[in-house]
Amino acid sequence: MSAPTDPAEHFTSTARAAADRVISSYSTSFGLATRLLGPRHRSHVRSIYALVRVADEVVDGAASAAGLDPAQKAEALERYAEETRRALSRGYSTDLVVHAFARTAIESQIGLDLIDPFFDSMRADLEPAAYGAAEHADYVYGSAEVIGLMCLQVFLREERRSAAERETLISGARALGAAFQNINFLRDLAEDTDELGRDYLGGGEGLTEEQCQAWVDTVRMQLAEARAAMPLLPRDARTAVRSACALFEALLEKIAATPVQELYHSRVRVSNACKAGLAARAALTTRLETH
């Protein structure tokens, strides 16, 4: 007869399986990238994604579809944020996704300095808004850069890096998160403008071709900064990060080749075959590295 399963370990394992289900249901692209992570990182990154995804559904997705008004969505988001804080202090939650995230946060030393800015950005999405440069920077930090920093905490939890290397990795993680978010803003212009009443990029009545090109140039610089830091990541994280970066680079180049008025009416995509090719190329790059 096998030994009885430890209840705490069994519950955490079940919570991580629930987080895995969230990512497989909501994002084929990010799901593919996490499959390229080493086993010691995979469930942790998926747990981060699951928490973020559920919060986004409170703001933009399932909560609206269920008929919640803005005040009810705000209340639901606050309950979710508070449960996340409690779970971080207790190491336990009855909410499986929150529990999975809390266990990852505790093991990887992800603190409220990263969690609170995320929920601040989610609160900003509860109402229509137009963002100037400062507001854009604050929103992108909370909605995307901190996610990159959380993942970096996972990747480095068993690693030693010099102070200079850590600074390079932190800058790279922030740049990659910002690039991903800005690309999403560009490809979601139609939904953000027409359905959600949000102007993340300062377009006012609509981005001009020159403004769109300026954002493309900005994102190219962010991606270049992120790529420069990738060789410092643990080998079992590099392929996944490179694959995700390559996918967004491909999206960016499709955006750059699309007239801005088309971006307000359609959403650019990358084919599954292209995604597979980019993942294979990322794996080859990592295999060819000497360290």
Side-chain angles (χ1 to χ4, degrees), residues 47-83:
S47 295
I48 293 170
Y49 175 87
L51 182 95
V52 170
R53 180 73 252 179
V54 172
D56 192 59
E57 287 299 307
V58 173
V59 173
D60 284 338
S64 295
L68 273 66
D69 63 29
Q72 290 170 322
K73 289 195 290 185
E75 181 184 1
L77 184 65
E78 289 307 316
R79 287 200 305 268
Y80 197 59
E82 184 56 35
E83 180 60 21

PDB file of all heavy atoms in Angstrom, residues 47-83:
ATOM      1  N   SER A  47       1.342  29.513 -12.998  1.00  0.00           N
ATOM      2  CA  SER A  47       0.574  30.012 -11.854  1.00  0.00           C
ATOM      3  C   SER A  47       0.501  31.539 -11.870  1.00  0.00           C
ATOM      4  O   SER A  47      -0.536  32.122 -11.520  1.00  0.00           O
ATOM      5  CB  SER A  47       1.193  29.522 -10.541  1.00  0.00           C
ATOM      6  OG  SER A  47       1.092  28.117 -10.440  1.00  0.00           O
ATOM      7  N   ILE A  48       1.588  32.184 -12.280  1.00  0.00           N
ATOM      8  CA  ILE A  48       1.570  33.646 -12.424  1.00  0.00           C
ATOM      9  C   ILE A  48       0.570  34.039 -13.497  1.00  0.00           C
ATOM     10  O   ILE A  48      -0.265  34.936 -13.305  1.00  0.00           O
ATOM     11  CB  ILE A  48       2.979  34.170 -12.763  1.00  0.00           C
ATOM     12  CG1 ILE A  48       3.926  33.960 -11.575  1.00  0.00           C
ATOM     13  CG2 ILE A  48       2.926  35.644 -13.157  1.00  0.00           C
ATOM     14  CD1 ILE A  48       5.389  34.215 -11.903  1.00  0.00           C
ATOM     15  N   TYR A  49       0.645  33.375 -14.637  1.00  0.00           N
ATOM     16  CA  TYR A  49      -0.269  33.699 -15.738  1.00  0.00           C
ATOM     17  C   TYR A  49      -1.727  33.513 -15.306  1.00  0.00           C
ATOM     18  O   TYR A  49      -2.582  34.339 -15.639  1.00  0.00           O
ATOM     19  CB  TYR A  49       0.012  32.828 -16.953  1.00  0.00           C
ATOM     20  CG  TYR A  49      -0.998  33.067 -18.067  1.00  0.00           C
ATOM     21  CD1 TYR A  49      -0.793  34.077 -19.002  1.00  0.00           C
ATOM     22  CD2 TYR A  49      -2.168  32.320 -18.143  1.00  0.00           C
ATOM     23  CE1 TYR A  49      -1.728  34.322 -19.988  1.00  0.00           C
ATOM     24  CE2 TYR A  49      -3.111  32.566 -19.126  1.00  0.00           C
ATOM     25  CZ  TYR A  49      -2.889  33.560 -20.050  1.00  0.00           C
ATOM     26  OH  TYR A  49      -3.831  33.811 -21.016  1.00  0.00           O
ATOM     27  N   ALA A  50      -2.015  32.458 -14.591  1.00  0.00           N
ATOM     28  CA  ALA A  50      -3.400  32.179 -14.208  1.00  0.00           C
ATOM     29  C   ALA A  50      -3.971  33.284 -13.329  1.00  0.00           C
ATOM     30  O   ALA A  50      -5.107  33.725 -13.522  1.00  0.00           O
ATOM     31  CB  ALA A  50      -3.485  30.827 -13.495  1.00  0.00           C
ATOM     32  N   LEU A  51      -3.202  33.746 -12.351  1.00  0.00           N
ATOM     33  CA  LEU A  51      -3.683  34.827 -11.498  1.00  0.00           C
ATOM     34  C   LEU A  51      -3.970  36.071 -12.326  1.00  0.00           C
ATOM     35  O   LEU A  51      -5.010  36.716 -12.176  1.00  0.00           O
ATOM     36  CB  LEU A  51      -2.645  35.152 -10.422  1.00  0.00           C
ATOM     37  CG  LEU A  51      -3.116  36.250  -9.451  1.00  0.00           C
ATOM     38  CD1 LEU A  51      -3.735  35.622  -8.209  1.00  0.00           C
ATOM     39  CD2 LEU A  51      -1.984  37.189  -9.065  1.00  0.00           C
ATOM     40  N   VAL A  52      -3.043  36.411 -13.219  1.00  0.00           N
ATOM     41  CA  VAL A  52      -3.191  37.593 -14.063  1.00  0.00           C
ATOM     42  C   VAL A  52      -4.410  37.448 -14.975  1.00  0.00           C
ATOM     43  O   VAL A  52      -5.181  38.391 -15.177  1.00  0.00           O
ATOM     44  CB  VAL A  52      -1.910  37.809 -14.882  1.00  0.00           C
ATOM     45  CG1 VAL A  52      -2.100  38.870 -15.950  1.00  0.00           C
ATOM     46  CG2 VAL A  52      -0.752  38.174 -13.953  1.00  0.00           C
ATOM     47  N   ARG A  53      -4.595  36.258 -15.522  1.00  0.00           N
ATOM     48  CA  ARG A  53      -5.702  36.020 -16.439  1.00  0.00           C
ATOM     49  C   ARG A  53      -7.051  36.174 -15.747  1.00  0.00           C
ATOM     50  O   ARG A  53      -7.981  36.784 -16.281  1.00  0.00           O
ATOM     51  CB  ARG A  53      -5.582  34.607 -17.016  1.00  0.00           C
ATOM     52  CG  ARG A  53      -6.654  34.201 -18.000  1.00  0.00           C
ATOM     53  CD  ARG A  53      -6.457  34.911 -19.316  1.00  0.00           C
ATOM     54  NE  ARG A  53      -7.464  35.919 -19.529  1.00  0.00           N
ATOM     55  CZ  ARG A  53      -7.502  36.701 -20.600  1.00  0.00           C
ATOM     56  NH1 ARG A  53      -6.551  36.590 -21.529  1.00  0.00           N
ATOM     57  NH2 ARG A  53      -8.438  37.586 -20.750  1.00  0.00           N
ATOM     58  N   VAL A  54      -7.169  35.623 -14.547  1.00  0.00           N
ATOM     59  CA  VAL A  54      -8.427  35.728 -13.830  1.00  0.00           C
ATOM     60  C   VAL A  54      -8.731  37.189 -13.497  1.00  0.00           C
ATOM     61  O   VAL A  54      -9.877  37.650 -13.640  1.00  0.00           O
ATOM     62  CB  VAL A  54      -8.414  34.860 -12.558  1.00  0.00           C
ATOM     63  CG1 VAL A  54      -9.646  35.123 -11.703  1.00  0.00           C
ATOM     64  CG2 VAL A  54      -8.350  33.378 -12.929  1.00  0.00           C
ATOM     65  N   ALA A  55      -7.719  37.946 -13.067  1.00  0.00           N
ATOM     66  CA  ALA A  55      -7.931  39.367 -12.787  1.00  0.00           C
ATOM     67  C   ALA A  55      -8.409  40.091 -14.043  1.00  0.00           C
ATOM     68  O   ALA A  55      -9.312  40.942 -13.984  1.00  0.00           O
ATOM     69  CB  ALA A  55      -6.645  39.997 -12.268  1.00  0.00           C
ATOM     70  N   ASP A  56      -7.835  39.760 -15.185  1.00  0.00           N
ATOM     71  CA  ASP A  56      -8.243  40.381 -16.441  1.00  0.00           C
ATOM     72  C   ASP A  56      -9.684  40.030 -16.791  1.00  0.00           C
ATOM     73  O   ASP A  56     -10.437  40.855 -17.320  1.00  0.00           O
ATOM     74  CB  ASP A  56      -7.307  39.944 -17.561  1.00  0.00           C
ATOM     75  CG  ASP A  56      -7.489  40.770 -18.825  1.00  0.00           C
ATOM     76  OD1 ASP A  56      -7.312  41.997 -18.767  1.00  0.00           O
ATOM     77  OD2 ASP A  56      -7.838  40.185 -19.874  1.00  0.00           O
ATOM     78  N   GLU A  57     -10.096  38.810 -16.463  1.00  0.00           N
ATOM     79  CA  GLU A  57     -11.484  38.413 -16.718  1.00  0.00           C
ATOM     80  C   GLU A  57     -12.459  39.184 -15.828  1.00  0.00           C
ATOM     81  O   GLU A  57     -13.591  39.440 -16.220  1.00  0.00           O
ATOM     82  CB  GLU A  57     -11.649  36.907 -16.509  1.00  0.00           C
ATOM     83  CG  GLU A  57     -11.034  36.063 -17.602  1.00  0.00           C
ATOM     84  CD  GLU A  57     -11.646  36.338 -18.965  1.00  0.00           C
ATOM     85  OE1 GLU A  57     -12.883  36.278 -19.082  1.00  0.00           O
ATOM     86  OE2 GLU A  57     -10.885  36.620 -19.909  1.00  0.00           O
ATOM     87  N   VAL A  58     -12.018  39.554 -14.637  1.00  0.00           N
ATOM     88  CA  VAL A  58     -12.860  40.383 -13.777  1.00  0.00           C
ATOM     89  C   VAL A  58     -13.064  41.756 -14.412  1.00  0.00           C
ATOM     90  O   VAL A  58     -14.164  42.314 -14.420  1.00  0.00           O
ATOM     91  CB  VAL A  58     -12.233  40.542 -12.373  1.00  0.00           C
ATOM     92  CG1 VAL A  58     -13.023  41.547 -11.536  1.00  0.00           C
ATOM     93  CG2 VAL A  58     -12.156  39.195 -11.662  1.00  0.00           C
ATOM     94  N   VAL A  59     -12.004  42.292 -14.990  1.00  0.00           N
ATOM     95  CA  VAL A  59     -12.052  43.641 -15.543  1.00  0.00           C
ATOM     96  C   VAL A  59     -12.738  43.683 -16.907  1.00  0.00           C
ATOM     97  O   VAL A  59     -13.588  44.544 -17.173  1.00  0.00           O
ATOM     98  CB  VAL A  59     -10.620  44.214 -15.642  1.00  0.00           C
ATOM     99  CG1 VAL A  59     -10.620  45.547 -16.376  1.00  0.00           C
ATOM    100  CG2 VAL A  59     -10.023  44.381 -14.252  1.00  0.00           C
ATOM    101  N   ASP A  60     -12.380  42.757 -17.791  1.00  0.00           N
ATOM    102  CA  ASP A  60     -12.792  42.873 -19.190  1.00  0.00           C
ATOM    103  C   ASP A  60     -13.635  41.731 -19.740  1.00  0.00           C
ATOM    104  O   ASP A  60     -14.274  41.897 -20.773  1.00  0.00           O
ATOM    105  CB  ASP A  60     -11.545  42.969 -20.095  1.00  0.00           C
ATOM    106  CG  ASP A  60     -10.909  44.335 -20.046  1.00  0.00           C
ATOM    107  OD1 ASP A  60     -11.611  45.297 -19.686  1.00  0.00           O
ATOM    108  OD2 ASP A  60      -9.715  44.452 -20.353  1.00  0.00           O
ATOM    109  N   GLY A  61     -13.600  40.570 -19.113  1.00  0.00           N
ATOM    110  CA  GLY A  61     -14.181  39.407 -19.766  1.00  0.00           C
ATOM    111  C   GLY A  61     -15.412  38.841 -19.108  1.00  0.00           C
ATOM    112  O   GLY A  61     -16.535  39.324 -19.277  1.00  0.00           O
ATOM    113  N   ALA A  62     -15.220  37.796 -18.338  1.00  0.00           N
ATOM    114  CA  ALA A  62     -16.336  37.017 -17.805  1.00  0.00           C
ATOM    115  C   ALA A  62     -17.258  37.840 -16.910  1.00  0.00           C
ATOM    116  O   ALA A  62     -18.481  37.646 -16.918  1.00  0.00           O
ATOM    117  CB  ALA A  62     -15.803  35.809 -17.036  1.00  0.00           C
ATOM    118  N   ALA A  63     -16.692  38.750 -16.135  1.00  0.00           N
ATOM    119  CA  ALA A  63     -17.532  39.546 -15.234  1.00  0.00           C
ATOM    120  C   ALA A  63     -18.506  40.417 -16.020  1.00  0.00           C
ATOM    121  O   ALA A  63     -19.686  40.536 -15.652  1.00  0.00           O
ATOM    122  CB  ALA A  63     -16.667  40.408 -14.322  1.00  0.00           C
ATOM    123  N   SER A  64     -18.031  41.016 -17.108  1.00  0.00           N
ATOM    124  CA  SER A  64     -18.925  41.817 -17.951  1.00  0.00           C
ATOM    125  C   SER A  64     -19.986  40.941 -18.594  1.00  0.00           C
ATOM    126  O   SER A  64     -21.169  41.306 -18.651  1.00  0.00           O
ATOM    127  CB  SER A  64     -18.119  42.550 -19.020  1.00  0.00           C
ATOM    128  OG  SER A  64     -17.242  43.489 -18.439  1.00  0.00           O
ATOM    129  N   ALA A  65     -19.570  39.780 -19.081  1.00  0.00           N
ATOM    130  CA  ALA A  65     -20.519  38.867 -19.722  1.00  0.00           C
ATOM    131  C   ALA A  65     -21.582  38.392 -18.738  1.00  0.00           C
ATOM    132  O   ALA A  65     -22.721  38.096 -19.130  1.00  0.00           O
ATOM    133  CB  ALA A  65     -19.775  37.673 -20.314  1.00  0.00           C
ATOM    134  N   ALA A  66     -21.217  38.311 -17.462  1.00  0.00           N
ATOM    135  CA  ALA A  66     -22.178  37.889 -16.435  1.00  0.00           C
ATOM    136  C   ALA A  66     -23.108  39.020 -16.013  1.00  0.00           C
ATOM    137  O   ALA A  66     -24.016  38.804 -15.206  1.00  0.00           O
ATOM    138  CB  ALA A  66     -21.429  37.361 -15.220  1.00  0.00           C
ATOM    139  N   GLY A  67     -22.874  40.219 -16.533  1.00  0.00           N
ATOM    140  CA  GLY A  67     -23.754  41.335 -16.254  1.00  0.00           C
ATOM    141  C   GLY A  67     -23.356  42.218 -15.097  1.00  0.00           C
ATOM    142  O   GLY A  67     -24.137  43.064 -14.659  1.00  0.00           O
ATOM    143  N   LEU A  68     -22.130  42.078 -14.582  1.00  0.00           N
ATOM    144  CA  LEU A  68     -21.686  42.927 -13.486  1.00  0.00           C
ATOM    145  C   LEU A  68     -21.487  44.356 -13.977  1.00  0.00           C
ATOM    146  O   LEU A  68     -20.923  44.583 -15.053  1.00  0.00           O
ATOM    147  CB  LEU A  68     -20.376  42.411 -12.883  1.00  0.00           C
ATOM    148  CG  LEU A  68     -20.489  41.352 -11.777  1.00  0.00           C
ATOM    149  CD1 LEU A  68     -21.055  40.049 -12.335  1.00  0.00           C
ATOM    150  CD2 LEU A  68     -19.114  41.107 -11.143  1.00  0.00           C
ATOM    151  N   ASP A  69     -21.974  45.321 -13.198  1.00  0.00           N
ATOM    152  CA  ASP A  69     -21.758  46.723 -13.555  1.00  0.00           C
ATOM    153  C   ASP A  69     -20.377  47.153 -13.032  1.00  0.00           C
ATOM    154  O   ASP A  69     -19.711  46.386 -12.318  1.00  0.00           O
ATOM    155  CB  ASP A  69     -22.881  47.605 -13.008  1.00  0.00           C
ATOM    156  CG  ASP A  69     -22.965  47.608 -11.487  1.00  0.00           C
ATOM    157  OD1 ASP A  69     -21.937  47.417 -10.809  1.00  0.00           O
ATOM    158  OD2 ASP A  69     -24.082  47.805 -10.968  1.00  0.00           O
ATOM    159  N   PRO A  70     -19.896  48.359 -13.393  1.00  0.00           N
ATOM    160  CA  PRO A  70     -18.549  48.783 -12.975  1.00  0.00           C
ATOM    161  C   PRO A  70     -18.309  48.692 -11.470  1.00  0.00           C
ATOM    162  O   PRO A  70     -17.231  48.273 -11.031  1.00  0.00           O
ATOM    163  CB  PRO A  70     -18.460  50.222 -13.475  1.00  0.00           C
ATOM    164  CG  PRO A  70     -19.334  50.234 -14.692  1.00  0.00           C
ATOM    165  CD  PRO A  70     -20.483  49.321 -14.343  1.00  0.00           C
ATOM    166  N   ALA A  71     -19.312  49.075 -10.662  1.00  0.00           N
ATOM    167  CA  ALA A  71     -19.128  49.014  -9.207  1.00  0.00           C
ATOM    168  C   ALA A  71     -18.984  47.571  -8.735  1.00  0.00           C
ATOM    169  O   ALA A  71     -18.171  47.269  -7.843  1.00  0.00           O
ATOM    170  CB  ALA A  71     -20.304  49.682  -8.502  1.00  0.00           C
ATOM    171  N   GLN A  72     -19.744  46.672  -9.307  1.00  0.00           N
ATOM    172  CA  GLN A  72     -19.650  45.261  -8.916  1.00  0.00           C
ATOM    173  C   GLN A  72     -18.316  44.656  -9.358  1.00  0.00           C
ATOM    174  O   GLN A  72     -17.733  43.840  -8.644  1.00  0.00           O
ATOM    175  CB  GLN A  72     -20.821  44.491  -9.520  1.00  0.00           C
ATOM    176  CG  GLN A  72     -22.170  44.828  -8.897  1.00  0.00           C
ATOM    177  CD  GLN A  72     -23.332  44.236  -9.669  1.00  0.00           C
ATOM    178  OE1 GLN A  72     -23.321  44.187 -10.907  1.00  0.00           O
ATOM    179  NE2 GLN A  72     -24.343  43.756  -8.948  1.00  0.00           N
ATOM    180  N   LYS A  73     -17.847  45.053 -10.536  1.00  0.00           N
ATOM    181  CA  LYS A  73     -16.538  44.569 -10.989  1.00  0.00           C
ATOM    182  C   LYS A  73     -15.427  45.101 -10.082  1.00  0.00           C
ATOM    183  O   LYS A  73     -14.482  44.369  -9.752  1.00  0.00           O
ATOM    184  CB  LYS A  73     -16.290  44.967 -12.442  1.00  0.00           C
ATOM    185  CG  LYS A  73     -17.149  44.210 -13.426  1.00  0.00           C
ATOM    186  CD  LYS A  73     -16.649  44.335 -14.857  1.00  0.00           C
ATOM    187  CE  LYS A  73     -16.832  45.708 -15.412  1.00  0.00           C
ATOM    188  NZ  LYS A  73     -16.452  45.775 -16.846  1.00  0.00           N
ATOM    189  N   ALA A  74     -15.535  46.345  -9.680  1.00  0.00           N
ATOM    190  CA  ALA A  74     -14.537  46.911  -8.769  1.00  0.00           C
ATOM    191  C   ALA A  74     -14.518  46.150  -7.447  1.00  0.00           C
ATOM    192  O   ALA A  74     -13.451  45.851  -6.892  1.00  0.00           O
ATOM    193  CB  ALA A  74     -14.831  48.391  -8.530  1.00  0.00           C
ATOM    194  N   GLU A  75     -15.705  45.824  -6.934  1.00  0.00           N
ATOM    195  CA  GLU A  75     -15.787  45.055  -5.690  1.00  0.00           C
ATOM    196  C   GLU A  75     -15.177  43.669  -5.855  1.00  0.00           C
ATOM    197  O   GLU A  75     -14.441  43.195  -4.979  1.00  0.00           O
ATOM    198  CB  GLU A  75     -17.242  44.938  -5.262  1.00  0.00           C
ATOM    199  CG  GLU A  75     -17.438  44.173  -3.951  1.00  0.00           C
ATOM    200  CD  GLU A  75     -18.907  43.980  -3.597  1.00  0.00           C
ATOM    201  OE1 GLU A  75     -19.779  44.427  -4.366  1.00  0.00           O
ATOM    202  OE2 GLU A  75     -19.166  43.351  -2.557  1.00  0.00           O
ATOM    203  N   ALA A  76     -15.463  43.015  -6.984  1.00  0.00           N
ATOM    204  CA  ALA A  76     -14.917  41.682  -7.233  1.00  0.00           C
ATOM    205  C   ALA A  76     -13.393  41.731  -7.335  1.00  0.00           C
ATOM    206  O   ALA A  76     -12.692  40.847  -6.824  1.00  0.00           O
ATOM    207  CB  ALA A  76     -15.515  41.106  -8.512  1.00  0.00           C
ATOM    208  N   LEU A  77     -12.878  42.769  -8.000  1.00  0.00           N
ATOM    209  CA  LEU A  77     -11.423  42.894  -8.131  1.00  0.00           C
ATOM    210  C   LEU A  77     -10.771  43.118  -6.778  1.00  0.00           C
ATOM    211  O   LEU A  77      -9.714  42.549  -6.481  1.00  0.00           O
ATOM    212  CB  LEU A  77     -11.085  44.040  -9.088  1.00  0.00           C
ATOM    213  CG  LEU A  77      -9.594  44.227  -9.391  1.00  0.00           C
ATOM    214  CD1 LEU A  77      -9.037  43.016 -10.143  1.00  0.00           C
ATOM    215  CD2 LEU A  77      -9.365  45.501 -10.202  1.00  0.00           C
ATOM    216  N   GLU A  78     -11.393  43.943  -5.929  1.00  0.00           N
ATOM    217  CA  GLU A  78     -10.834  44.189  -4.601  1.00  0.00           C
ATOM    218  C   GLU A  78     -10.819  42.913  -3.771  1.00  0.00           C
ATOM    219  O   GLU A  78      -9.860  42.645  -3.030  1.00  0.00           O
ATOM    220  CB  GLU A  78     -11.618  45.290  -3.883  1.00  0.00           C
ATOM    221  CG  GLU A  78     -11.398  46.676  -4.448  1.00  0.00           C
ATOM    222  CD  GLU A  78      -9.923  47.044  -4.534  1.00  0.00           C
ATOM    223  OE1 GLU A  78      -9.166  46.792  -3.575  1.00  0.00           O
ATOM    224  OE2 GLU A  78      -9.518  47.576  -5.587  1.00  0.00           O
ATOM    225  N   ARG A  79     -11.881  42.120  -3.868  1.00  0.00           N
ATOM    226  CA  ARG A  79     -11.899  40.853  -3.135  1.00  0.00           C
ATOM    227  C   ARG A  79     -10.775  39.944  -3.617  1.00  0.00           C
ATOM    228  O   ARG A  79     -10.130  39.256  -2.812  1.00  0.00           O
ATOM    229  CB  ARG A  79     -13.254  40.163  -3.299  1.00  0.00           C
ATOM    230  CG  ARG A  79     -14.390  40.804  -2.525  1.00  0.00           C
ATOM    231  CD  ARG A  79     -15.561  39.825  -2.342  1.00  0.00           C
ATOM    232  NE  ARG A  79     -16.029  39.290  -3.616  1.00  0.00           N
ATOM    233  CZ  ARG A  79     -17.000  39.832  -4.345  1.00  0.00           C
ATOM    234  NH1 ARG A  79     -17.610  40.941  -3.926  1.00  0.00           N
ATOM    235  NH2 ARG A  79     -17.376  39.280  -5.483  1.00  0.00           N
ATOM    236  N   TYR A  80     -10.564  39.934  -4.913  1.00  0.00           N
ATOM    237  CA  TYR A  80      -9.512  39.076  -5.476  1.00  0.00           C
ATOM    238  C   TYR A  80      -8.122  39.548  -5.037  1.00  0.00           C
ATOM    239  O   TYR A  80      -7.270  38.738  -4.660  1.00  0.00           O
ATOM    240  CB  TYR A  80      -9.622  39.094  -7.002  1.00  0.00           C
ATOM    241  CG  TYR A  80      -8.885  37.977  -7.695  1.00  0.00           C
ATOM    242  CD1 TYR A  80      -9.175  36.645  -7.429  1.00  0.00           C
ATOM    243  CD2 TYR A  80      -7.905  38.252  -8.633  1.00  0.00           C
ATOM    244  CE1 TYR A  80      -8.505  35.617  -8.070  1.00  0.00           C
ATOM    245  CE2 TYR A  80      -7.226  37.232  -9.293  1.00  0.00           C
ATOM    246  CZ  TYR A  80      -7.543  35.916  -9.007  1.00  0.00           C
ATOM    247  OH  TYR A  80      -6.867  34.907  -9.646  1.00  0.00           O
ATOM    248  N   ALA A  81      -7.919  40.868  -5.054  1.00  0.00           N
ATOM    249  CA  ALA A  81      -6.631  41.408  -4.616  1.00  0.00           C
ATOM    250  C   ALA A  81      -6.392  41.121  -3.139  1.00  0.00           C
ATOM    251  O   ALA A  81      -5.280  40.743  -2.734  1.00  0.00           O
ATOM    252  CB  ALA A  81      -6.582  42.916  -4.878  1.00  0.00           C
ATOM    253  N   GLU A  82      -7.418  41.274  -2.332  1.00  0.00           N
ATOM    254  CA  GLU A  82      -7.273  41.032  -0.898  1.00  0.00           C
ATOM    255  C   GLU A  82      -7.027  39.556  -0.616  1.00  0.00           C
ATOM    256  O   GLU A  82      -6.208  39.208   0.254  1.00  0.00           O
ATOM    257  CB  GLU A  82      -8.521  41.509  -0.156  1.00  0.00           C
ATOM    258  CG  GLU A  82      -8.415  41.376   1.366  1.00  0.00           C
ATOM    259  CD  GLU A  82      -7.208  42.090   1.941  1.00  0.00           C
ATOM    260  OE1 GLU A  82      -6.829  43.160   1.428  1.00  0.00           O
ATOM    261  OE2 GLU A  82      -6.639  41.551   2.920  1.00  0.00           O
ATOM    262  N   GLU A  83      -7.695  38.672  -1.344  1.00  0.00           N
ATOM    263  CA  GLU A  83      -7.452  37.245  -1.152  1.00  0.00           C
ATOM    264  C   GLU A  83      -6.024  36.885  -1.550  1.00  0.00           C
ATOM    265  O   GLU A  83      -5.388  36.039  -0.909  1.00  0.00           O
ATOM    266  CB  GLU A  83      -8.456  36.427  -1.972  1.00  0.00           C
ATOM    267  CG  GLU A  83      -8.277  34.917  -1.837  1.00  0.00           C
ATOM    268  CD  GLU A  83      -8.437  34.407  -0.414  1.00  0.00           C
ATOM    269  OE1 GLU A  83      -9.062  35.103   0.428  1.00  0.00           O
ATOM    270  OE2 GLU A  83      -7.941  33.301  -0.128  1.00  0.00           O
TER     271      GLU A  83
END
